[in-house]
Amino acid sequence: SSFTAEEMSKFEKHIKWEVPGSYLFKNDMAVLEIIARNNWKRPIYFATSVPDRNTLGLDKYFRLEGFANRLVPFQSEDSEVSVNTDVMFENLMNVFSWGRMNEDDVYLDNFHLRNFKVMQIRQTFSLLAQKLIDEDKKAKAIQVLDTCIELMPNDKVPYDFSMYDFANLYYISGENDKANAIIERLLIIYEQDLDFYNSLENRFTSHVAHEKGQTIAYLNEFKKMTGFYKQDKLNKDIISIIEKYY
Protein backbone atom coordinates (compact mmCIF):
# COMPACT_ATOMS: atom_id res chain seq x y z
CA SER A 1 0.00 0.00 0.00
CA SER A 2 1.15 3.55 -0.69
CA PHE A 3 -0.55 4.74 2.49
CA THR A 4 1.05 4.87 5.90
CA ALA A 5 -0.63 3.41 8.96
CA GLU A 6 -1.30 6.93 10.18
CA GLU A 7 -2.97 7.86 6.90
CA MET A 8 -5.11 4.72 6.88
CA SER A 9 -6.29 5.52 10.40
CA LYS A 10 -7.78 8.74 9.00
CA PHE A 11 -9.74 7.09 6.16
CA GLU A 12 -13.34 8.27 5.93
CA LYS A 13 -16.17 5.90 5.05
CA HIS A 14 -17.73 8.61 2.90
CA ILE A 15 -15.94 11.75 1.78
CA LYS A 16 -18.04 14.90 1.98
CA TRP A 17 -17.32 18.20 0.30
CA GLU A 18 -19.08 21.13 -1.31
CA VAL A 19 -18.68 21.76 -5.03
CA PRO A 20 -18.12 25.52 -5.47
CA GLY A 21 -20.15 27.62 -7.88
CA SER A 22 -23.73 27.42 -9.07
CA TYR A 23 -23.30 25.31 -12.20
CA LEU A 24 -21.43 22.30 -13.61
CA PHE A 25 -19.97 21.68 -17.05
CA LYS A 26 -20.24 18.29 -18.70
CA ASN A 27 -16.58 17.58 -18.00
CA ASP A 28 -17.24 18.28 -14.29
CA MET A 29 -20.10 15.78 -14.33
CA ALA A 30 -17.82 13.24 -16.01
CA VAL A 31 -15.21 13.65 -13.27
CA LEU A 32 -17.81 13.24 -10.54
CA GLU A 33 -19.14 10.14 -12.28
CA ILE A 34 -15.65 8.64 -12.46
CA ILE A 35 -15.13 9.26 -8.74
CA ALA A 36 -18.52 7.76 -7.84
CA ARG A 37 -18.12 4.66 -10.01
CA ASN A 38 -14.47 4.03 -9.20
CA ASN A 39 -15.14 3.34 -5.50
CA TRP A 40 -11.39 3.65 -4.71
CA LYS A 41 -10.51 0.67 -6.92
CA ARG A 42 -7.94 2.65 -8.92
CA PRO A 43 -6.05 5.84 -8.02
CA ILE A 44 -7.46 9.09 -9.41
CA TYR A 45 -5.14 12.01 -10.03
CA PHE A 46 -5.51 15.72 -10.82
CA ALA A 47 -2.50 17.34 -12.50
CA THR A 48 -1.00 20.20 -10.49
CA SER A 49 -1.44 22.39 -13.58
CA VAL A 50 -5.23 21.96 -13.43
CA PRO A 51 -6.95 25.26 -12.48
CA ASP A 52 -8.61 25.37 -9.05
CA ARG A 53 -12.03 25.67 -10.67
CA ASN A 54 -11.59 22.21 -12.20
CA THR A 55 -10.73 20.46 -8.94
CA LEU A 56 -14.39 20.77 -7.88
CA GLY A 57 -13.52 21.73 -4.30
CA LEU A 58 -11.78 18.41 -3.66
CA ASP A 59 -8.41 19.96 -2.79
CA LYS A 60 -8.74 19.12 0.92
CA TYR A 61 -8.74 15.45 -0.17
CA PHE A 62 -5.59 15.78 -2.30
CA ARG A 63 -2.19 14.29 -1.57
CA LEU A 64 0.70 15.55 -3.68
CA GLU A 65 2.83 12.75 -5.10
CA GLY A 66 4.90 14.63 -7.65
CA PHE A 67 3.31 16.67 -10.41
CA ALA A 68 -0.16 15.36 -9.70
CA ASN A 69 -2.47 15.34 -6.70
CA ARG A 70 -3.93 11.98 -5.75
CA LEU A 71 -7.51 11.89 -4.51
CA VAL A 72 -7.41 10.19 -1.11
CA PRO A 73 -10.13 9.20 1.38
CA PHE A 74 -8.94 11.51 4.16
CA GLN A 75 -8.60 15.24 4.62
CA SER A 76 -5.44 17.25 4.97
CA GLU A 77 -5.03 18.30 8.58
CA ASP A 78 -4.19 21.90 7.75
CA SER A 79 -4.41 24.42 4.93
CA GLU A 80 -1.15 23.20 3.43
CA VAL A 81 -1.00 20.53 0.77
CA SER A 82 -0.82 16.97 2.09
CA VAL A 83 2.41 15.17 1.17
CA ASN A 84 3.57 11.61 1.76
CA THR A 85 7.31 12.33 1.64
CA ASP A 86 8.28 8.68 1.08
CA VAL A 87 6.09 8.37 -2.03
CA MET A 88 7.01 11.79 -3.39
CA PHE A 89 10.74 11.29 -2.76
CA GLU A 90 10.67 7.95 -4.57
CA ASN A 91 8.84 9.47 -7.54
CA LEU A 92 11.01 12.57 -7.96
CA MET A 93 14.34 10.90 -7.26
CA ASN A 94 13.96 7.40 -8.71
CA VAL A 95 10.77 6.84 -10.71
CA PHE A 96 10.50 9.89 -12.96
CA SER A 97 12.74 9.96 -16.03
CA TRP A 98 14.27 13.38 -16.69
CA GLY A 99 15.96 12.60 -19.98
CA ARG A 100 18.91 14.76 -20.99
CA MET A 101 17.42 18.17 -20.24
CA ASN A 102 20.54 19.33 -18.40
CA GLU A 103 23.06 18.22 -21.04
CA ASP A 104 25.10 20.86 -22.89
CA ASP A 105 24.00 19.73 -26.35
CA VAL A 106 20.26 19.91 -25.52
CA TYR A 107 18.52 23.17 -26.40
CA LEU A 108 15.56 24.21 -24.26
CA ASP A 109 13.42 26.68 -26.17
CA ASN A 110 10.84 29.09 -24.75
CA PHE A 111 8.08 26.48 -25.08
CA HIS A 112 9.92 24.08 -22.77
CA LEU A 113 10.93 26.79 -20.31
CA ARG A 114 7.32 27.97 -20.11
CA ASN A 115 6.11 24.43 -19.50
CA PHE A 116 8.64 24.01 -16.68
CA LYS A 117 7.01 27.01 -14.99
CA VAL A 118 3.50 25.68 -15.58
CA MET A 119 4.52 22.35 -14.06
CA GLN A 120 6.22 24.21 -11.18
CA ILE A 121 9.12 21.77 -11.20
CA ARG A 122 11.40 23.79 -8.94
CA GLN A 123 8.55 24.58 -6.54
CA THR A 124 7.69 20.88 -6.31
CA PHE A 125 11.25 19.93 -5.39
CA SER A 126 11.51 22.73 -2.82
CA LEU A 127 8.15 21.76 -1.29
CA LEU A 128 9.34 18.18 -0.83
CA ALA A 129 12.58 19.44 0.71
CA GLN A 130 10.62 21.63 3.12
CA LYS A 131 8.42 18.70 4.18
CA LEU A 132 11.50 16.51 4.72
CA ILE A 133 13.08 19.21 6.89
CA ASP A 134 9.83 19.38 8.88
CA GLU A 135 10.26 15.64 9.47
CA ASP A 136 13.90 16.16 10.56
CA LYS A 137 15.27 14.47 7.42
CA LYS A 138 17.76 17.15 6.41
CA ALA A 139 20.10 14.79 4.56
CA LYS A 140 17.30 13.72 2.21
CA ALA A 141 16.16 17.34 1.85
CA ILE A 142 19.66 18.37 0.71
CA GLN A 143 19.68 15.46 -1.74
CA VAL A 144 16.38 16.69 -3.22
CA LEU A 145 17.63 20.26 -3.55
CA ASP A 146 20.93 19.14 -5.08
CA THR A 147 19.13 16.98 -7.62
CA CYS A 148 16.93 19.85 -8.81
CA ILE A 149 19.96 22.17 -9.10
CA GLU A 150 21.68 19.50 -11.19
CA LEU A 151 18.63 18.95 -13.40
CA MET A 152 17.87 22.65 -13.88
CA PRO A 153 21.12 24.62 -13.68
CA ASN A 154 21.06 28.36 -14.29
CA ASP A 155 22.68 28.05 -17.73
CA LYS A 156 19.84 25.79 -18.91
CA VAL A 157 16.86 27.13 -16.94
CA PRO A 158 17.73 30.66 -15.78
CA TYR A 159 17.33 31.31 -12.08
CA ASP A 160 14.40 33.42 -10.97
CA PHE A 161 12.69 34.19 -7.67
CA SER A 162 11.59 30.55 -7.39
CA MET A 163 15.16 29.98 -6.17
CA TYR A 164 14.38 31.94 -2.99
CA ASP A 165 13.09 28.79 -1.30
CA PHE A 166 16.15 26.82 -2.37
CA ALA A 167 18.50 29.35 -0.76
CA ASN A 168 16.39 29.46 2.40
CA LEU A 169 16.21 25.67 2.69
CA TYR A 170 19.95 25.33 2.12
CA TYR A 171 20.55 27.81 4.95
CA ILE A 172 18.18 25.89 7.22
CA SER A 173 20.04 22.68 6.37
CA GLY A 174 23.42 24.23 7.17
CA GLU A 175 24.55 24.37 3.53
CA ASN A 176 25.49 28.06 3.56
CA ASP A 177 27.88 27.89 0.60
CA LYS A 178 25.20 26.43 -1.66
CA ALA A 179 22.69 29.06 -0.56
CA ASN A 180 25.20 31.86 -1.12
CA ALA A 181 26.06 30.55 -4.60
CA ILE A 182 22.39 30.78 -5.61
CA ILE A 183 22.01 34.31 -4.28
CA GLU A 184 25.27 35.47 -5.86
CA ARG A 185 24.07 34.22 -9.24
CA LEU A 186 20.73 35.99 -8.78
CA LEU A 187 22.48 39.23 -7.86
CA ILE A 188 24.27 39.19 -11.20
CA ILE A 189 20.97 38.61 -13.00
CA TYR A 190 19.11 41.31 -11.05
CA GLU A 191 21.89 43.87 -11.48
CA GLN A 192 21.97 43.23 -15.23
CA ASP A 193 18.21 43.69 -15.36
CA LEU A 194 18.41 46.96 -13.44
CA ASP A 195 21.22 48.19 -15.68
CA PHE A 196 18.99 47.58 -18.67
CA TYR A 197 15.99 49.35 -17.16
CA ASN A 198 18.13 52.37 -16.31
CA SER A 199 19.66 52.46 -19.79
CA LEU A 200 16.29 53.13 -21.44
CA GLU A 201 15.23 56.57 -22.58
CA ASN A 202 12.86 58.48 -20.30
CA ARG A 203 9.91 57.81 -22.59
CA PHE A 204 10.21 54.09 -21.83
CA THR A 205 10.67 54.41 -18.06
CA SER A 206 7.01 53.97 -17.21
CA HIS A 207 6.85 50.78 -19.26
CA VAL A 208 9.41 49.02 -17.06
CA ALA A 209 8.50 50.61 -13.72
CA HIS A 210 6.73 47.45 -12.55
CA GLU A 211 9.64 45.17 -13.49
CA LYS A 212 12.16 47.48 -11.85
CA GLY A 213 10.10 47.71 -8.66
CA GLN A 214 9.67 43.95 -8.60
CA THR A 215 13.41 43.40 -8.96
CA ILE A 216 14.11 45.78 -6.06
CA ALA A 217 11.49 43.94 -4.00
CA TYR A 218 13.24 40.62 -4.70
CA LEU A 219 16.55 42.10 -3.62
CA ASN A 220 14.98 43.33 -0.39
CA GLU A 221 13.76 39.80 0.36
CA PHE A 222 17.25 38.41 -0.11
CA LYS A 223 18.62 41.25 2.03
CA LYS A 224 16.34 40.12 4.86
CA MET A 225 17.33 36.49 4.35
CA THR A 226 21.09 37.06 4.34
CA GLY A 227 20.75 39.35 7.35
CA PHE A 228 18.79 36.71 9.25
CA TYR A 229 21.37 34.00 8.51
CA LYS A 230 24.25 36.41 9.26
CA GLN A 231 25.81 36.31 5.81
CA ASP A 232 27.31 39.75 6.32
CA LYS A 233 29.37 40.16 3.14
CA LEU A 234 26.55 39.03 0.86
CA ASN A 235 24.11 41.20 2.79
CA LYS A 236 26.31 44.26 2.21
CA ASP A 237 26.56 43.46 -1.51
CA ILE A 238 22.76 43.37 -1.76
CA ILE A 239 22.38 46.64 0.14
CA SER A 240 24.91 48.24 -2.20
CA ILE A 241 22.94 47.20 -5.28
CA ILE A 242 19.65 48.43 -3.81
CA GLU A 243 21.14 51.81 -2.91
CA LYS A 244 22.65 52.12 -6.39
CA TYR A 245 19.36 51.66 -8.23
CA TYR A 246 16.61 52.65 -5.82
Side-chain angles (χ1 to χ4, degrees):
S1 172
S2 60
F3 295 104
T4 65
E6 180 183 357
E7 288 174 332
M8 288 189 286
S9 70
K10 297 185 292 186
F11 279 11
E12 300 176 15
K13 186 174 182 180
H14 303 288
I15 66 171
K16 298 179 181 180
W17 80 100
E18 184 174 334
V19 179
S22 57
Y23 58 88
L24 291 172
F25 289 111
K26 287 185 177 180
N27 59 296
D28 298 327
M29 296 174 67
V31 170
L32 293 172
E33 183 71 9
I34 290 171
I35 294 172
R37 299 290 181 180
N38 183 58
N39 197 27
W40 306 107
K41 293 176 183 177
R42 296 173 64 89
I44 295 175
Y45 289 89
F46 289 76
T48 53
S49 57
V50 170
D52 290 341
R53 189 249 168 264
N54 294 110
T55 61
L56 303 176
L58 284 162
D59 49 293
K60 64 182 179 180
Y61 287 103
F62 282 171
R63 187 183 73 177
L64 185 64
E65 296 187 356
F67 302 108
N69 290 298
R70 181 174 180 174
L71 182 65
V72 294
F74 61 89
Q75 295 187 43
S76 176
E77 293 182 347
D78 50 43
S79 59
E80 295 183 3
V81 62
S82 175
V83 174
N84 181 312
T85 55
D86 291 335
V87 173
M88 193 166 170
F89 183 90
E90 177 66 17
N91 284 338
L92 290 183
M93 304 296 287
N94 300 314
V95 176
F96 295 162
S97 176
W98 299 99
R100 299 176 59 250
M101 58 186 280
N102 57 341
E103 297 293 336
D104 291 338
D105 61 336
V106 175
Y107 173 65
L108 299 176
D109 60 15
N110 186 60
F111 174 80
H112 291 90
L113 295 178
R114 187 172 66 249
N115 278 341
F116 292 163
K117 289 188 176 182
V118 171
M119 292 176 64
Q120 299 184 329
I121 295 178
R122 280 175 172 154
Q123 291 88 334
T124 301
F125 273 89
S126 64
L127 174 61
L128 174 59
Q130 178 64 69
K131 294 293 185 180
L132 288 167
I133 289 173
D134 292 343
E135 296 175 1
D136 199 25
K137 300 175 182 177
K138 287 186 178 180
K140 294 183 75 172
I142 294 169
Q143 186 180 350
V144 168
L145 296 171
D146 288 349
T147 297
C148 189
I149 295 291
E150 180 183 352
L151 286 172
M152 304 177 72
N154 173 69
D155 60 342
K156 301 294 290 186
V157 185
Y159 285 176
D160 55 23
F161 194 65
S162 66
M163 298 304 296
Y164 177 93
D165 287 336
F166 281 75
N168 187 50
L169 293 171
Y170 271 134
Y171 280 138
I172 293 172
S173 302
E175 297 285 331
N176 290 359
D177 289 343
K178 293 178 181 179
N180 290 342
I182 290 172
I183 297 175
E184 287 167 359
R185 179 66 248 182
L186 283 168
L187 292 187
I188 294 173
I189 295 171
Y190 291 153
E191 190 163 17
Q192 289 174 342
D193 289 345
L194 290 168
D195 277 338
F196 170 72
Y197 301 145
N198 280 6
S199 72
L200 298 175
E201 298 177 17
N202 290 338
R203 61 197 177 100
F204 296 118
T205 302
S206 62
H207 297 290
V208 296
H210 173 74
E211 288 79 2
K212 182 177 179 179
Q214 190 175 58
T215 302
I216 295 294
Y218 291 160
L219 287 167
N220 273 309
E221 290 303 313
F222 283 110
K223 181 187 75 172
K224 295 175 187 175
M225 179 189 292
T226 52
F228 180 81
Y229 291 108
K230 295 179 171 54
Q231 303 301 304
D232 296 335
K233 182 182 181 304
L234 196 52
N235 184 259
K236 290 178 181 178
D237 290 341
I238 297 173
I239 292 173
S240 177
I241 294 173
I242 294 174
E243 290 177 345
K244 178 180 177 182
Y245 294 98
Y246 188 61

